[in-house]
Amino acid sequence: MKILVPVKRVIDYNVKPRIKSDQSGVDLANVKMSMNPFDEIAVEEAVRLKEAGTAEEVVVVSIGEQKAQETLRTGLAMGADRGILVVTEDMPEPLGIAKILAKITEEESPDLVILGKQAIDDDSNQVGQMLAALLGWSQGTFASKLEQDGDKLKVTREIDGGLETLALSTPAIVTTDLRLNEPRYASLPNIMKAKKKPIDEKTAADFGVDISPRLETLKVTEPPKREAGEIVPDVDTLVAKLKEMGVAA
Amino acid sequence: MSTLVIADHDNSELGSATLVAVTAAQKLGGDVTVLVAGEGSQAVADAAAKVEGVAKVLHADDAAYGHGVAENLAPLIEGLAGDYENIVAPATSMGKNVMPRVAAKLDIQQISDIIAINDDGSFDRPTYAGNAIATVKTSDAKKVITVRGTAFDKANAEGGSASVEAVSGPGDSGKTEFVSAEIAESERPELTSASVIVSGGRALQSGENFEKYIEPLADKLGAAIGASRAAVDAGYVPNDYQVGQTGKIVAPEVYIAIGISGAIQHLAGMKDSKTIIAINKDEDAPIFQVADYGLVADLYEAVPELTSKL
């Protein structure tokens, strides 16, 4: 089995985003950037499948600025075999990303593409499903468990109210939820080794797909702030408040 | 102008998130049609026809649609899409799973998880875990939209009298097979539609303590039970209890956070609650910065006292 794992360079999970004063977006200058956490889970799952002997090759791909190469190196240090970097001037929208990934998937013919369910910057939750649609493949989104079952892939999905298990025919798309696995930290020797692994560099134009944006961002603003209320002295006061609200009799 | 709303349901009841999507659809203007795709789902189609503001219900009843498998559902929606300017679904796991598949096939850049529809035709949507609200306008002629379940009022479940029309689609794609579902059976209200939620955090220390401290209070208040990511990751409660940016987004009348510190991730999932009450022994916990009423106390003493006095 060959696995393709798209990864996105995003603001680090622990950094609180600051909105630019002209409301044009979030200020990313001199901000720590990392691999999207859901994508880390995707890389981890692919590497585990390789370590279990189920997969032979894991290819990571990233689309965006030149610096996305660092994100690919992270994936290579975690155990992926090689990388593909697609350099674009602006970050394409999910549909544009899915179109580029569809072309790469056609060239690479993986049996499985594992993606994060959403990127923690734009929170769209679209690319995996869109890629599945463009390729006409099965999709197992928000996966919390993945196992091979003959020529099918059994995917347990986190859905509202519980869990659901689907059997996907392959090739297939899987998107990761939080609890699929716990990604490893790359060891120093593996980080050194990753520097020697190949990264193939391309540009968006190489794929001949229309990635022009459809959405115009008019402004980006802070959410309305919630004011802190009062600290109540004791449980009795809280009981009185709940009664006032009509929540308790 | 006309809008197709994709209903979220379990083949017997129309989900309340669908009522929220209907309100958003009405705000877009024009006629609202609801698609009920399911198996043995006549009751849902009938319920959708009664929703105030719905002009028509399309009902596709087929084994292929019984479990909402995206590979089957998306071609049905694509086939119907020609008649509508907007295709709208609630941002539930169904909507999130199916709609991008529809959008890509129609070459449309979906607008996910909207929280407001502005007069100039733009939409507000939360990004960066709710820390930045983006106002976006699309150049696509047709729009595919998912709607956050807490962002608009629910449409009235009664008062409408729409016609129900049977429709059919390509059926089973043969690509994906539904195997099983484990849906927690509970007497409690559903987390995303409950008017009161009692939520527990890492300070509960165990699943047993959830049963001992959180459940009796929730019982007293007729509340749903939620949890922070830390409590879920520690295995105290199942995954579907998680409230937060990567879990459930809730906005009840009253949200009671017990032993929850209030990480950004968690706040993103509950800060639209009407009233927030926090009980935490750490007076510096960030949860107190968003709470309307805070009680600085040891939960193991305060919660049993609260429960007994209600």
Side-chain angles (χ1 to χ4, degrees):
Chain A
M1 184 191 276
K2 176 174 171 179
I3 305 176
L4 187 70
V5 185
V7 294
K8 186 177 185 184
R9 175 182 155 89
V10 298
I11 188 168
D12 186 82
Y13 190 74
N14 292 310
V15 176
K16 186 167 165 44
R18 238 186 267 276
I19 292 164
K20 290 184 195 166
S21 55
D22 66 356
Q23 299 194 330
S24 63
V26 167
D27 192 356
L28 296 177
N30 303 315
V31 166
K32 186 183 178 201
M33 304 290 280
S34 299
M35 186 189 291
N36 178 42
F38 290 105
D39 303 349
E40 277 189 334
I41 295 171
V43 174
E44 177 66 35
E45 194 66 16
V47 170
R48 285 188 192 184
L49 286 167
K50 190 184 169 191
E51 287 166 349
T54 311
E56 292 84 45
E57 190 184 26
V58 176
V59 181
V60 282
V61 51
S62 194
I63 301 169
E65 57 181 331
Q66 188 70 38
K67 281 183 176 165
Q69 195 180 88
E70 294 165 14
T71 311
L72 288 175
R73 291 285 171 209
T74 305
L76 296 173
M78 287 174 72
D81 299 291
R82 62 186 170 89
I84 301 170
L85 175 65
V86 182
V87 179
T88 59
E89 245 171 72
D90 299 304
M91 190 48 129
E93 291 167 353
L95 181 61
I97 297 281
K99 286 178 182 177
I100 294 172
L101 290 176
K103 288 288 178 189
I104 293 174
T105 306
E106 280 162 14
E107 280 173 19
E108 293 283 337
S109 1
D111 304 283
L112 176 61
V113 183
I114 312 181
L115 310 86
K117 75 166 178 179
Q118 74 192 61
I120 61 163
D121 49 6
D122 75 347
D123 284 329
S124 285
N125 192 336
Q126 296 176 2
V127 172
Q129 297 89 313
M130 286 182 156
L131 178 60
L134 296 176
L135 297 167
W137 287 11
S138 296
Q139 70 183 49
T141 54
F142 327 144
S144 63
K145 196 173 170 194
L146 177 61
E147 30 179 7
Q148 197 160 24
D149 184 18
D151 58 348
K152 300 262 184 185
L153 266 180
K154 252 168 101 178
V155 177
T156 302
R157 308 178 53 228
E158 294 203 13
I159 58 167
D160 298 338
L163 298 170
E164 174 189 89
T165 303
L166 299 177
L168 311 183
S169 54
T170 51
I173 304 287
V174 168
T175 77
T176 62
D177 218 315
L178 273 183
R179 279 166 280 268
L180 181 59
N181 60 51
E182 216 168 292
R184 69 192 67 190
Y185 290 101
S187 66
L188 192 58
N190 284 340
I191 292 171
M192 300 311 287
K193 255 191 257 169
K195 292 187 176 166
K196 297 204 181 78
K197 290 182 180 176
I199 292 181
D200 191 9
E201 198 175 309
K202 303 191 174 207
T203 66
D206 295 340
F207 299 97
V209 290
D210 173 23
I211 57 165
S212 52
R214 313 290 179 81
L215 302 183
E216 184 194 352
T217 299
L218 304 179
K219 61 175 181 186
V220 175
T221 51
E222 295 235 6
K225 275 224 167 25
R226 226 191 142 96
E227 298 294 320
E230 56 180 293
I231 295 291
V232 298
D234 50 31
V235 169
D236 288 333
T237 317
L238 207 50
V239 171
K241 294 287 181 196
L242 284 167
K243 285 183 178 168
E244 265 173 45
M245 286 184 269
V247 174
Chain B
M1 175 81 87
S2 58
T3 299
L4 181 65
V5 174
I6 315 303
D8 191 8
H9 64 88
D10 61 358
N11 291 311
S12 55
E13 278 179 47
L14 187 66
S16 66
T18 308
L19 300 175
V20 173
V22 166
T23 301
Q26 284 170 327
K27 274 202 93 174
L28 292 169
D31 280 348
V32 176
T33 300
V34 174
L35 171 67
V36 174
E39 180 187 14
S41 54
Q42 186 63 45
V44 181
D46 293 342
K50 289 199 191 95
V51 175
E52 200 170 48
V54 173
K56 191 157 106 179
V57 173
L58 302 178
H59 186 205
D61 207 74
D62 186 312
Y65 308 132
H67 300 287
V69 169
E71 292 81 334
N72 302 345
L73 214 44
L76 168 70
I77 298 167
E78 286 149 35
L80 299 167
D83 296 338
Y84 303 91
E85 275 80 47
N86 308 303
I87 305 163
V88 171
T92 55
S93 43
M94 180 286 293
K96 290 176 188 170
N97 186 39
V98 175
M99 294 298 267
R101 201 166 170 115
V102 174
K105 289 296 267 194
L106 300 174
D107 197 34
I108 295 167
Q109 175 52 54
Q110 174 177 314
I111 306 170
S112 291
D113 212 17
I114 62 160
I115 55 170
I117 299 168
N118 303 311
D119 293 338
D120 63 354
S122 64
F123 301 93
D124 290 354
R125 56 175 305 268
T127 61
Y128 290 87
N131 286 300
I133 309 298
T135 302
V136 297
K137 200 165 190 172
T138 182
S139 58
D140 283 322
K142 203 186 276 286
K143 299 180 186 76
V144 174
I145 294 167
T146 61
V147 179
R148 179 165 287 201
T150 54
F152 300 87
D153 292 333
K154 287 176 200 138
N156 236 330
E158 301 287 335
S161 57
S163 59
V164 179
E165 186 185 311
V167 293
S168 59
D172 196 333
S173 71
K175 288 190 179 80
T176 299
E177 190 191 328
F178 170 83
V179 179
S180 62
E182 296 166 50
I183 304 294
E185 292 289 333
S186 171
E187 298 288 302
R188 294 182 197 287
E190 206 255 320
L191 197 51
T192 52
S193 58
S195 61
V196 182
I197 295 174
V198 179
S199 229
R202 201 205 306 263
L204 265 302
Q205 294 175 326
S206 69
E208 291 75 54
N209 284 343
F210 253 83
E211 283 171 30
K212 198 168 154 195
Y213 294 91
I214 301 294
E215 283 187 15
L217 178 57
D219 286 340
K220 272 273 171 78
L221 296 167
I225 295 181
S228 69
R229 180 175 166 187
V232 172
D233 281 350
Y236 304 163
V237 288
N239 297 352
D240 55 295
Y241 279 45
Q242 187 183 325
V243 171
Q245 180 66 12
T246 52
K248 300 242 164 64
I249 310 286
V250 301
E253 291 291 312
V254 181
Y255 187 91
I256 307 180
I258 296 172
I260 292 179
S261 64
I264 294 179
Q265 208 280 133
H266 186 76
L267 299 183
M270 47 64 85
K271 66 182 164 53
D272 292 328
S273 305
K274 199 164 169 207
T275 302
I276 296 173
I277 296 173
I279 300 175
N280 201 304
K281 71 175 176 190
D282 175 10
E283 59 182 307
D284 296 323
I287 191 78
F288 288 124
Q289 288 162 25
V290 299
D292 298 281
Y293 303 113
L295 177 64
V296 182
D298 183 348
L299 77 91
Y300 294 104
E301 287 163 20
V303 174
E305 187 187 342
L306 178 61
T307 306
S308 71
K309 285 180 173 168
L310 286 171

